[in-house]
């Protein structure tokens, strides 16, 4: 072979190799997801990758405020994020998300009409999001430790957590509250007999002032640590999210160390919330994002997620795949009577109210 022919052959071979490399890169699809901590069965991600060939890059956060700060700054690099509906609503107005292309979501037909009707309060026409999970904010407690510290504890009432004299009795065995003003303050307002909304700033301030009185008896404000703390017996009381408490209960049972965790929906009423999956307006991989959402909308996948995290989901057809312990638990899927006592909290629409809430929350956490 002459040197020229050899050179041409090498050039051709290099060109072919580069073409193959380019083709491989084009086929190396991925979807970047930003979700709450302790909030998915990792097998779901592996199964999605195996079925679609799309690589999942998965990161976690533990407060809506952290997610919102990233979203409003823009260029998060994420394709799917999971805000709570109250935050989603104002983020939609801020132009943070892109409308869903429902032609790419054939599994949306599995949606639960009653749940999506409630969500439409935050996302009109359900145009920007699908429901991932929904649940309540209530009380998780260590049955034995609470009974020992407080024999006649009102475990069916917000009085257990928000009456200063009652909480004082539980200080010694550990108390944690979620670090989220928009989820905690409405519960305090309910206890005080005030409307659990943002219509009157003075009510928000009253709730924060009351919470400040409880600060000496609270071990920590955190939105995820209480799961393991309850499961390990390190605390005896938590005000938190329903599914988190049930995860703590499951972990305690698996550990077999005699820690007995229960969840209570207070008789005065409790907050109903929705965590939504949405696609940022500047998502780098919108096609893959739609593929992931459509996968989550499969009934058996939605059920697998609920079985793992112990939260209800907005997929009606998933119920035939739910574990019986999840499906029949009235604290996860409330009875119609209990459901009627659950309230939703409106979105904070104006900056004045938001500033007032931020100030009130800062004072409440400082105990001043």
């Amino acid at each position: 072979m002459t040197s020229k022919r050899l050179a041409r052959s090498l050039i051709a071979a290099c060109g072919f190799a580069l073409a193959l490399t380019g083709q491989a890169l084009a086929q190396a699809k991925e979807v970047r997801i930003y979700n709450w901590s302790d909030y998915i069965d990792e097998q779901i991600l592996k199964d999605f990758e195996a079925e679609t060939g799309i690589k999942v890059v998965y990161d976690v956060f533990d407060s809506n405020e952290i997610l919102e700060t990233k979203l409003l700054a823009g260029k998060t690099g994420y394709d799917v994020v999971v805000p709570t509906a109250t935050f989603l609503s104002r983020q939609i107005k801020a132009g943070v998300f892109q409308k869903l292309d429902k032609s790419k979501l054939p599994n949306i037909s599995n949606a639960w009409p009653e749940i999506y009707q409630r969500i439409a309060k935050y996302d009109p026409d359900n145009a920007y999001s699908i429901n991932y999970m929904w649940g309540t904010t209530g009380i998780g407690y260590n049955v034995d430790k609470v009974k020992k510290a407080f024999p006649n504890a009102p475990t069916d009432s917000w009085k257990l957590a928000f009456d200063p004299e009652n909480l004082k009795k539980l200080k010694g065995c550990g108390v944690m509250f979620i670090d989220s003003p928009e989820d905690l303050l409405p519960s305090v307002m309910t206890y005080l007999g005030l409307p659990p909304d943002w219509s009157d700033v003075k009510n928000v301030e009253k709730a924060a002032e009351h919470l400040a009185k409880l600060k000496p008896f609270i071990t920590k404000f955190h939105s995820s640590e209480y799961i393991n703390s309850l499961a390990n017996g390190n605390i005896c009381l938590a005000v938190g999210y329903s599914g988190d408490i049930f995860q703590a209960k499951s972990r305690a049972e698996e550990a077999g160390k005699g820690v007995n965790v229960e969840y209570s929906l207070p008789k005065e009423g409790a907050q109903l919330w929705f965590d939504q999956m949405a696609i940022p307006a500047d998502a780098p991989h919108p096609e893959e994002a739609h593929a992931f959402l459509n996968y989550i909308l499969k009934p058996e996948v939605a059920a697998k997620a609920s079985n793992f995290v112990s939260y209800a989901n907005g997929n009606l057809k998933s119920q035939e795949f739910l574990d019986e312990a999840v499906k029949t638990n009235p604290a996860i899927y409330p009875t119609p009577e209990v459901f009627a006592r659950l309230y939703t909290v409106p979105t904070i629409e104006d900056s004045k109210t938001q500033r007032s809430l931020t100030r009130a929350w800062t004072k409440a956490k400082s105990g001043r």
Side-chain angles (χ1 to χ4, degrees):
M1 183 180 291
T2 66
S3 58
K4 288 185 179 180
R5 287 180 64 190
L6 178 59
R8 283 198 297 268
S9 298
L10 288 172
I11 291 170
C14 289
F16 182 66
L18 286 170
L20 286 176
T21 302
Q23 186 177 5
L25 286 172
Q27 292 173 349
K29 299 178 180 179
E30 68 176 24
V31 61
R32 294 179 170 268
I33 301 165
Y34 198 37
N35 196 0
W36 292 81
S37 57
D38 298 291
Y39 211 28
I40 201 166
D41 184 340
E42 290 186 5
Q43 189 60 46
I44 290 174
L45 306 179
K46 294 174 183 176
D47 291 345
F48 172 76
E49 287 181 330
E51 181 173 313
T52 64
I54 299 171
K55 179 186 175 184
V56 175
V57 178
Y58 192 85
D59 294 326
V60 300
F61 58 89
D62 60 19
S63 80
N64 272 298
E65 288 77 14
I66 289 173
L67 172 59
E68 183 163 82
T69 298
K70 286 181 178 288
L71 288 172
L72 294 179
K75 297 182 180 179
T76 64
Y78 292 111
D79 303 301
V80 176
V81 296
V82 193
T84 300
T86 48
F87 283 75
L88 171 92
S89 179
R90 64 171 177 252
Q91 290 160 4
I92 289 173
K93 293 181 176 68
V96 164
F97 302 115
Q98 58 181 268
K99 278 192 174 183
L100 300 177
D101 183 346
K102 293 187 179 178
S103 69
K104 297 174 182 175
L105 301 174
N107 291 328
I108 195 72
S109 61
N110 300 318
W112 190 344
E114 183 179 1
I115 297 300
Y116 273 72
Q117 185 177 0
R118 287 212 179 202
I119 293 167
K121 171 182 178 179
Y122 305 103
D123 179 7
D125 300 321
N126 304 116
Y128 289 89
S129 68
I130 67 164
N131 179 249
Y132 177 54
M133 296 287 156
W134 58 272
T136 53
T137 301
I139 299 170
Y141 62 100
N142 182 310
V143 176
D144 302 311
K145 285 193 173 184
V146 167
K147 188 175 182 180
K148 182 178 179 180
F150 190 3
N152 299 314
T155 55
D156 64 342
S157 169
W158 284 120
K159 289 180 181 178
L160 179 66
F162 298 145
D163 182 300
E165 290 304 311
N166 291 345
L167 200 63
K168 186 177 181 180
K169 297 174 184 177
L170 301 175
K171 177 184 177 182
C173 56
V175 175
M176 291 182 75
F177 284 4
I178 46 175
D179 190 6
S180 172
E182 294 194 31
D183 289 325
L184 187 57
L185 288 178
S187 299
V188 180
M189 285 189 267
T190 299
Y191 164 74
L192 294 174
L194 304 171
D197 58 36
W198 319 112
S199 58
D200 190 335
V201 171
K202 290 183 179 179
N203 288 342
V204 177
E205 292 171 349
K206 287 178 184 177
E209 287 168 7
H210 184 81
L211 193 57
K213 296 175 185 176
L214 305 177
K215 178 64 170 59
F217 316 121
I218 300 171
T219 308
K220 192 173 186 178
F221 289 90
H222 201 279
S223 294
S224 61
E225 280 187 21
Y226 65 88
I227 302 175
N228 282 332
S229 295
L230 263 181
N232 297 334
N234 294 334
I235 62 171
C236 63
L237 183 76
V239 174
Y241 307 119
S242 52
D244 284 357
I245 309 297
F246 286 114
Q247 283 188 56
K249 178 179 175 66
S250 296
R251 291 178 189 180
E253 290 171 350
E254 289 169 6
K257 295 182 179 179
V259 177
N260 184 10
V261 175
E262 290 297 343
Y263 178 72
S264 171
L265 269 174
K267 60 186 178 183
E268 297 90 347
Q271 182 178 345
L272 176 67
W273 49 261
F274 308 95
D275 283 343
Q276 301 294 107
M277 286 190 164
I279 304 174
D282 58 358
H285 311 104
E287 291 295 322
E288 290 76 9
H290 279 87
F292 184 76
L293 296 190
N294 195 51
Y295 185 77
I296 290 293
L297 286 165
K298 285 187 173 185
E300 61 273 24
V301 174
K304 190 178 185 71
S306 281
N307 291 337
F308 182 81
V309 300
S310 297
Y311 282 108
N313 69 69
N315 190 311
L316 186 60
K317 292 185 180 178
S318 75
Q319 295 196 22
E320 64 180 286
F321 301 100
L322 291 172
D323 290 345
E324 201 64 23
V326 172
K327 185 178 180 180
T328 60
N329 189 330
I332 299 176
Y333 283 93
T335 64
E337 294 75 22
V338 173
F339 201 80
R341 297 206 311 268
L342 303 178
Y343 57 83
T344 54
V345 176
T347 299
I348 296 176
E349 300 286 359
D350 62 284
S351 57
K352 181 181 178 181
T353 302
Q354 184 63 57
R355 286 195 299 271
S356 298
L357 175 62
T358 301
R359 284 197 301 269
W361 180 245
T362 300
K363 289 181 180 179
K365 287 182 66 178
S366 67
R368 300 193 187 101

